[in-house]
Amino acid sequence: MGWSLFMQHLVNAISLGFVFGLVAVGYALVYGVVKLVNFAHGDVFMMAAYFMFYASVLFGFPWLAAVIFGVVMTALLGVGIEKVAYRPLRKYPRINSLVSSIGMSFLLQNFAVVVFGGIQRSFPVPEMMRKTIILGEVRIQAVSIYTIVFSILMVLLLTFILQKTKIGLAMRILSTDFDTARLMGINVDNTISFTFALGSALAAVSAVFYALRYPQIFPFMGQYPGSRAFIAAVVGGIGSIKGALIGGFLLGMLTVLLPAAFPEYSGYREALIFALLVIVLVFKPNGLFGQEAGEKA
Amino acid sequence: MKRSTRVLLSLMLIIVIYIFVYFSELHMDPFIKRILNTGLIYAILAVSLNLINGFTGQFSLGHAGFMAIGAYTSALLYMSPETKMSNFFMIPLISPLDRIQIPFFWALIIGGLMAAGAGFIVGAPCLRVRGDYLAIVTYGFSEIIRSLFNNLQNITNGPLGLKGLPTYTNLWWTVSWTIVTIIVIKRIVDSSYGRALKAIRDDEVAAENLGINLFKHKVLAFVVGAFFAGVAGGLLGSLLMTIDPNSFSILFTYQIIMIILLGGLGNITGSVVVGIGFAFLMEWLRFVEMPMHIFGIEIPGILGMRMLIFSVLLMLTILFFRQGIFGQREFSWEGVAKLFQKRKVKE
Amino acid sequence: MILQAVEVERTTEPNVRQTVLKLEHVTKKFGGLVAVSDFNVDLKEGELLGLIGPNGAGKTTIFNLITHVIPVTEGKIEFYGKDITKLSTDRIIKLGIARTFQNIRLFSNMSVKENIMTAFHVHLKSDLFTAVAFLPKYREEEEFIQQKTWELMKEVGIEHLADHKSSSLPYGLQRKLEIARALATSPKLLLLDEPAAGMNPDETLELNQLILRIRERYKLTVIVIEHDMKVIMNISERIIVLDHGVTIAEGTPSEIQQNPLVIKAYLGVGDEDA
Ligand SMILES: Nc1ncnc2c1ncn2[C@@H]1O[C@H](COP(=O)(O)OP(=O)(O)O)[C@@H](O)[C@H]1O
Ligand SMILES: [Mg+2]
């Protein structure tokens, strides 16, 4: 592989890594606060793409307005899902909520097939995102650069919310101890709702960049990036924001660079990535970058 | 009621069932027969997954993977060399699989044993991984299987799958395997081993502090569960006459999970009844995807409606029927006897 | 044989008796917290040791270390001269140690009877096939288990509740069921973690009698944890007092009662423990 080709792949990998990373943060936020592996997160991502598609194509919103509309709707959807599907199960064993999230994922996909149709639709891509930037021998898609820049902005915004705002503080306390949080007068329900809103909004933002890169949207489009991001979150140490981002990067690299380096084995990529997931869970269950948890019993 | 009475009654029931099978094979509508076969295979899958998820409390999402292993192993063993040849036209099947052909029964058994081996490998991490983490590990395993089967072209024929499998599966096979599955698993859960499994489900630390080897018993549940899943996979392959790696996706596991949830976790009767009922329900639901005529107006069928209804049902079960439709109520001869006694009193 | 008692030559001279359990320099750290610090004990056959100390003193942790629910940080644990420090929990139980839990841990979806029957599994000789095929060997064992379970239920006085769900029992009976369940593993050493917690004085008295009775009948060596020392003053021969993981006193009940360090430790905690 030549240097210029490598650079192209690298930029590609980084931007894809950010997409995975932002979705992974959604898993991490929710896991951190309610200890739920939200299997429906990838499908919330899919719904975001459709919200934007309909706002733009059907209702003729300007592109940016459509995106903002999509982000808001997705955040509301996330809150709604939590209210309907997870909140009533909070007092039951965790596995109930896990099954519920699997059911929710199923429901969203089938809802999309029936309501939006099973066929692929073209996501609107603005002119400026279609450009290819040429630096000497290196050709980079403009959308990759936009992805990286906006993702960094999102991460900064997220850090600000978590570190500097009251609701962010509430989230952090809730993630360490439910009972303490209640004692301290934190409104648990609102904080959890906000967590879902935030995670879903991040999924919506990454859906924009994902759809700009692969502009065909369809009801099952959330599965692939969803499972990638999910693996990223687990490998990075589920519950940890930093881990999710690093995991996203790792997955972006593996996804792009592995087949580029070993094209003859590209078919085994899936098996390899899932094997990574299993190995990390078995031998380092707190993730490669997560902190040690307490001992059993 | 004495044990010998119960055994006798059960034997009589089995004979009645086989008489039913005899007449069904002769006279039943092939379409209904096919659904019934599918339902019985669901029942085997549900009862075996119930051993892992319901009785032992180890939340596994790996059942589709075990099925895939059983389906492929047995198909490659019972297919004729000619059919194999016509399937593997891109890359030839490795030797000696391309020449072997063995009877259906032994193919199923070997398929089950291969799945049981996989069950051992998947169950082993149980020692270190618990709860939702275990669910993820087993999900990862089932995806790895799917991906490998998509790629190992000289064994599985890759994404093209296997076609033209001979139809050996009939009610004799499915009914017999369902009975075997029920008896074996019922006997396990009612034995001292079963008490150990239920103890692990209720409280691992307490179980361990009573000298129960967690690893051994969890793996036991996985191995036995996977064996029957493998057999069910073999039966399904021969019923559908075609298999491909992507038909054994996580979606299939979700369906089985829905069946055991509806039937009640740890309830064998529920798994069987809902398993068979589920096959009929899914078939019946096809009408929603067909054009309908109401008062002379034609409403076009909506594609995907069936799965949407299915997922709504799934969510309703999860949210409102946490105990399933049957709860903890199991079929028992004592229960039947009581039913009759009540009737008599009323008369 | 299940429930076979160890035949012991009991002499009146305690130091001639065999050592059952020996903990040497046992220390447990949870991160920065030293939950148990350099704990030593040499327990003779048939002895009844009281382990007392305020909440958080490290008493339960010692039980968790003995049955290897958690690993020791430092030190050595011996059972009848065998080093069990690194053995897995189930192996340790098989050797003859049984315990109850401070926050009762019954199998809540099982009946009272099943809870006890489960505990016989550890000594089951039939393999899975024998059990599933219901061969005579397993049938015999199952019958034996049924009968012994019945005896144990009678022993603690819950035989009338055999088919009730264990979680439906009142608190005091749940504790007794837990003791019966522990006995079903035919232990030589029984570890009881606050068995009288939540009981009224009458119930406590009755429980103490139960403990003494089963010690005699099954030839047990017993360690009882209490944080209210009055409860076990009457039944234990020797008492060890822990505070913040440190052994602050050891001796006969009357020695302990007069020990100024013990009085201080208890006063420091406040009245609610007294
Ligand atoms: N698994 C654990 N992880 C971390 N800290 C623990 C654990 N178990 C006990 N501790 C701590 O060790 C100390 C002793 O606890 P414990 O042995 O339960 O006290 P008690 O004497 O009341 O039974 C306490 O401060 C407790 O918080
Ligand atoms: Mg304690």
Side-chain angles (χ1 to χ4, degrees), chain B residues 187 192-193 202-203 209 217, chain C residues 67 105 109 121 126 132 138:
Chain B
R187 286 245 48 93
S192 184
Y193 287 88
D202 280 5
D203 190 331
N209 276 279
H217 287 88
Chain C
T67 63
R105 299 186 88 136
N109 291 313
H121 187 66
S126 305
V132 170
Y138 176 74

Side-chain angles (χ1 to χ4, degrees), chain B residues 3 183-185 187-214 216-217 220 224 328, chain C residues 67 69 89-90 93-94 97 99 101 105-110 114-115 117-122 124 126-128 131-132 134 138-139 142 145 181-182 185:
Chain B
R3 184 183 138 76
I183 291 178
V184 169
I185 290 182
R187 286 245 48 93
I188 292 179
V189 301
D190 284 349
S191 75
S192 184
Y193 287 88
R195 289 193 289 265
L197 298 182
K198 287 181 259 179
I200 291 172
R201 170 193 65 193
D202 280 5
D203 190 331
E204 277 194 11
V205 175
E208 210 179 5
N209 276 279
L210 291 176
I212 292 168
N213 184 327
L214 299 184
K216 194 175 119 190
H217 287 88
L220 167 89
V224 175
Q328 297 294 318
Chain C
T67 63
V69 172
T89 302
D90 57 296
I93 304 304
K94 274 197 188 85
I97 301 181
R99 70 177 288 187
F101 297 89
R105 299 186 88 136
L106 291 168
F107 305 122
S108 49
N109 291 313
M110 296 191 197
E114 273 184 304
N115 261 277
M117 288 171 79
T118 304
F120 284 100
H121 187 66
V122 57
L124 191 81
S126 305
D127 57 20
L128 182 69
V132 170
F134 213 64
Y138 176 74
R139 242 182 273 184
E142 182 77 18
I145 291 172
R181 190 181 68 176
T185 64

Side-chain angles (χ1 to χ4, degrees), chain A residues 182-223:
Chain A
R182 230 181 277 265
L183 283 178
M184 289 171 75
I186 288 171
N187 185 328
V188 173
D189 285 346
N190 285 354
T191 312
I192 291 177
S193 289
F194 182 78
T195 308
F196 274 84
L198 192 59
S200 306
L202 285 172
V205 173
S206 36
V208 178
F209 291 110
Y210 190 78
L212 288 173
R213 174 186 282 265
Y214 310 106
Q216 299 301 319
I217 66 173
F218 54 99
F220 302 101
M221 67 175 281
Q223 283 197 318

Side-chain angles (χ1 to χ4, degrees), chain C residues 59-60 102 193-194:
Chain C
K59 307 179 295 289
T60 300
Q102 180 176 353
D193 196 345
E194 303 204 15

Side-chain angles (χ1 to χ4, degrees), chain A residues 31 89 92 94-96 99-100 102-104 106-107 110-111 114 230 238 267-268 270-271 274 281-282 285, chain B residues 59 125 128 132-133 136-137 143-144 147 151-152 251 254 261 304-305 307-308 310-312 315 318-319 322:
Chain A
Y31 192 88
L89 300 174
Y92 296 98
R94 258 160 63 186
I95 217 75
N96 286 41
V99 179
S100 186
I102 290 174
M104 220 43 231
F106 222 28
L107 181 63
N110 292 312
F111 173 84
V114 170
F230 163 67
I238 192 154
Y268 289 99
E270 293 299 300
F274 275 98
L281 273 178
V282 173
Chain B
F59 201 84
R128 306 179 57 105
D132 36 10
Y133 277 28
I136 300 167
V137 166
E143 288 296 306
I144 291 172
S147 168
N151 285 285
L152 295 170
L251 232 62
Y254 289 171
L261 284 180
M305 201 59 186
M307 289 315 275
L308 181 59
F310 167 68
S311 31
V312 171
M315 278 318 289
I318 295 166
L319 291 172
R322 273 178 304 274

